[in-house]
Amino acid sequence: MGRRIFWLGLAVAFGLTACDQAAPPPLTRERAACADVGAAPAAREAACGAVLAQDGLAGADRAAALAHRGAARRLRGDPTAAMADFNAALALDAEQVSAKLGRAEVLLASGQLDAAAPMIESLLQAPAPPARAHYLRGELYVRQGARASAIAEFDAAIAADARMADAFAQRGLARQAELDYAAAARDFDAAVRLNPRHAQARAGRCWNRIYQEGDLGAAHTDAEAAIAADSGLVSAQLCRGLVMLRQENWAEARAAYDAVLTVEPVNSAALFGRGFARREAGERGEGAEDIRRAYEFNSDIDEEFERQGVDF
């Protein structure tokens, strides 16, 4: 009997040890999902929330979870909540890189360039600056109208991270603004290869095809892909509207321009394009009114459309 109890106790002990070894650390899955930059923003935010609710989470670990949740909230479209998380993370760890990057992105997006600049510079002073810091300084230069400097920063970002689709897309847009259409096309192609749903790269390539008198069907495909990824991207809707005008699809052209005017009621290109589509569809009075309003904001708008292949 004594031997039987001994062996039973030993078996239970071994069983408990095996269970202890098999049991994962607490919230392992949630921690991984919280740090996963490729996860859906809502799922990532929820995972970070579970991590942050864990007892005993403090210091650098808590700061990292806050920074990750802030990034998810920013992508979900809640910059106020994102900024609160970034600030909380930096209060715990003043050198938290993800929080600095996120805070700089929110400041740039809201037009607070003077506030964003020192945050970006502090990131670039690190011994090994993150590639995205170069990207953000490029974005800053774009907003300041310094395209050559912006292109140099996007070059640096790509040199540090050759898989950064954002940097290829933004360099393409900067090169396109400099009328370097061939180089811009190569950048848009690279961005789309890395991320087929990259809305700005798709929209940029749509315009690039128009500027280079390329395939309108391919331009249309790019516009639709951009809108599917971001229906509120004005440049994508404008490019789709122009393609529809050139294909004489007046109803679809008007729908694209209507989408722009919903968010930008005085966009001269959308007003002119819609007016042209209305006029050609037989709504002459309404079309003339749209065109008259477009001229109020841009007296040369008809010349822009003619350069884009629309015979007014």
Side-chain angles (χ1 to χ4, degrees), residues 16-281:
L16 288 173
T17 301
C19 287
D20 288 344
Q21 290 175 343
L27 295 176
T28 298
R29 184 179 301 173
E30 287 81 358
R31 285 173 181 262
C34 177
D36 183 3
V37 296
R44 190 181 182 195
E45 181 181 356
C48 291
V51 173
L52 288 163
Q54 185 181 4
D55 291 338
L57 188 73
D61 288 339
R62 187 169 190 82
L66 283 164
H68 294 323
R69 187 174 70 177
R73 286 174 162 175
R74 183 182 67 80
L75 291 174
R76 189 174 54 74
D78 190 348
T80 302
M83 187 63 94
D85 277 343
F86 296 140
N87 289 338
L90 290 169
L92 291 169
D93 179 359
E95 298 306 316
Q96 219 295 326
V97 172
S98 295
K100 282 186 170 184
L101 287 169
R103 193 171 191 277
E105 296 216 35
V106 172
L107 291 170
L108 276 177
S110 62
Q112 299 179 67
L113 307 188
D114 290 342
M119 184 67 67
I120 295 168
E121 291 306 316
S122 73
L123 285 160
L124 289 167
Q125 295 306 313
R132 195 149 188 95
H134 285 290
Y135 168 80
L136 291 177
R137 187 154 69 177
E139 286 269 37
L140 178 66
Y141 284 144
V142 166
R143 285 166 169 75
Q144 292 173 335
R147 282 195 292 266
S149 296
I151 290 169
E153 289 300 324
F154 296 138
D155 288 344
I158 291 165
D161 181 0
R163 296 193 59 78
M164 191 185 294
D166 286 349
F168 280 107
Q170 291 302 322
R171 188 173 71 178
L173 291 171
R175 285 173 161 172
Q176 192 144 281
E178 294 285 297
L179 309 185
D180 190 352
Y181 297 129
R186 291 192 295 271
D187 279 340
F188 295 139
D189 288 345
V192 171
R193 279 195 300 271
L194 291 166
N195 179 4
R197 286 180 53 79
H198 199 292
Q200 289 188 320
R202 287 285 200 167
R205 193 165 72 175
C206 175
W207 283 107
N208 188 272
R209 295 187 196 281
I210 288 186
Y211 295 142
Q212 297 201 86
E213 298 183 359
D215 182 353
L216 282 182
H220 185 201
T221 297
D222 276 331
E224 294 292 353
I227 292 165
D230 182 358
S231 61
L233 185 60
V234 166
S235 62
Q237 293 285 7
L238 288 174
C239 196
R240 182 178 185 272
L242 188 70
V243 170
M244 293 295 97
L245 284 186
R246 289 184 56 176
Q247 293 180 338
E248 300 185 3
N249 187 334
W250 313 127
E252 290 299 320
R254 177 174 175 176
Y257 291 126
D258 279 341
V260 174
L261 292 167
T262 298
V263 294
E264 294 186 5
V266 295
N267 186 295
S268 60
L271 283 167
F272 189 89
R274 187 175 72 176
F276 188 98
R278 280 176 151 178
R279 188 189 70 180
E280 297 303 305

